[in-house]
């Protein structure tokens, strides 16, 4: 699991904002992006070119209530 997580993050660092942002009901200061890793979903924002991981959620949960 850890190896899959590290590989997904490393692959995404090449172009972190090149993917579709997550749509949320709340107005957010920064856009959230998502990475699906096996049965989990990782949410991150990009601050000054740096990926900051905000949430790591089991995919079966209703993420719209968590964001």
């Amino acid at each position: 699991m850890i190896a899959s997580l590290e590989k997904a993050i490393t692959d995404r660092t090449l172009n972190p904002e090149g993917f579709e942002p997550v749509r949320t009901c709340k107005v957010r200061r920064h856009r959230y992006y998502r990475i699906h890793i096996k049965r989990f979903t990782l949410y991150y924002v990009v601050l000054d070119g740096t990926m900051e991981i905000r949430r790591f959620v089991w995919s079966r949960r209703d993420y719209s209530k968590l964001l």
Side-chain angles (χ1 to χ4, degrees):
M1 178 64 191
I2 299 293
S4 300
L5 177 64
E6 288 177 349
K7 182 177 180 341
I9 292 172
T10 304
D11 291 345
R12 187 63 66 100
T13 57
L14 299 174
N15 188 11
E17 294 178 301
F19 296 87
E20 181 180 0
V22 176
R23 297 175 194 241
T24 60
C25 296
K26 289 184 178 181
V27 176
R28 302 219 174 255
R29 188 171 175 189
H30 306 288
R31 291 182 180 176
Y32 272 66
Y33 297 91
R34 127 183 43 184
I35 302 174
H36 294 288
I37 306 159
K38 295 189 179 184
R39 288 187 272 166
F40 296 90
T41 304
L42 182 130
Y43 294 95
Y44 68 93
V45 297
V46 179
L47 304 173
D48 298 326
T50 304
M51 287 175 57
E52 181 179 297
I53 297 171
R54 294 281 176 103
R55 306 244 191 277
F56 188 67
V57 181
W58 185 43
S59 293
R60 294 213 176 215
R61 298 211 43 198
D62 184 9
Y63 75 89
S64 62
K65 292 181 181 179
L66 299 172
L67 291 180

